Amino acid sequence: MAFSKFLDPKNDLSFKKIFGSEKNKNILIHFLNDILDFSTSDQIIEIEFLSTIMDPKIASDKQSIVDVLCKDSIGNRFVIEMQLARDKGFEKRAQLYAAKAYSRQLDKSGNYIDLQKVFFIAISNCNLLPEEVDYISTHNIRDIKTNGHYLKDLQFVFIELPKFTKNRVEQLENTTERWCFFFKYAEETTEEDLKKIAAEAPIIKLAYDELDRFRWNEKDLIAYEERILSVQKEKAILEQKLDDAKQEGRQEGIQIGHEKGKIEGRKERDIEVAKNSLKAGVSIDVIAQITGLSHSEILQLREKT
């Protein structure tokens, strides 16, 4: 199919439309259960959306706002982020936001006994971790010697889409892979492929339905397109800054080369003056004053002449 009707789920507006709205809570619940591999006994049944502002003091900074934050019926917190580009210190930010979601559970009594788990989930359109780490990886706190898992309240899941190499629906073996295919290839999915996905995972079909551009109203489509232009503008500004930095580096290199050449030229002239002065019997002290060469340098020249 030459033209896909599906929008990009990696766009933060479409991502929040699918996973951050009351209307689509069922999609989010299925996604979390699938990605976290929750069994029947610990499956999420209900969720409540919470404020996505992690630090009210800097709420104007986009970096202080997560894409989705919710809790289940027993109080476990889930932070879900779509990461479009590798930014410096992302690992620290992930841990900071998990820690904030953990500490924000405290009530006025300060009773920490009932604090519940926090799961930080990042779907990334770039590589975050070394190549040897699989496309989906789970991280928690373990004892170095025994590998025992005793501190159980913080868990991190990273889904690195560039590492997900399956690009045909027929290759997909489980629901997790179908979710990854959705995030990576939604814009390229054909109606025929969608039927195959729907047969195996009806809930992902609902996610596709939310991406159907023909179901979006004009206001949402305009906001979506403006967000794309904004991201492209940010990327262009960054590329221009990199180009400017490279140009400045080249200019500084040329300038340093010129200065170095001047210094080397002066040094050669001073050496010639020193040699001639030594032949004329001028004292080392006077030659040092004239040329700026050290006594040891002049002595070396005298030994060679």
Side-chain angles (χ1 to χ4, degrees), residues 106-112:
L106 281 173
D107 56 21
K108 292 181 180 179
S109 68
N111 185 6
Y112 54 82

Side-chain angles (χ1 to χ4, degrees), residues 106-123:
L106 281 173
D107 56 21
K108 292 181 180 179
S109 68
N111 185 6
Y112 54 82
I113 300 299
D114 296 325
L115 293 179
Q116 299 298 314
K117 296 179 181 179
V118 172
F119 298 85
F120 183 97
I121 302 169
I123 305 101

Side-chain angles (χ1 to χ4, degrees), residues 12-42:
D12 53 1
L13 291 178
S14 55
F15 183 83
K16 291 174 184 176
K17 188 177 181 70
I18 300 169
F19 296 101
S21 67
E22 285 286 335
K23 171 176 169 281
N24 294 322
K25 276 169 54 169
N26 194 40
I27 297 176
L28 177 59
I29 289 171
H30 276 79
F31 170 74
L32 291 172
N33 284 327
D34 293 336
I35 294 301
L36 297 172
D37 196 24
F38 282 170
S39 61
T40 304
S41 60
D42 54 10

Side-chain angles (χ1 to χ4, degrees), residues 55 127 159 177 217 238 265 303:
D55 192 341
N127 288 345
I159 301 172
E177 291 185 353
N217 60 43
L238 177 59
E303 290 173 0

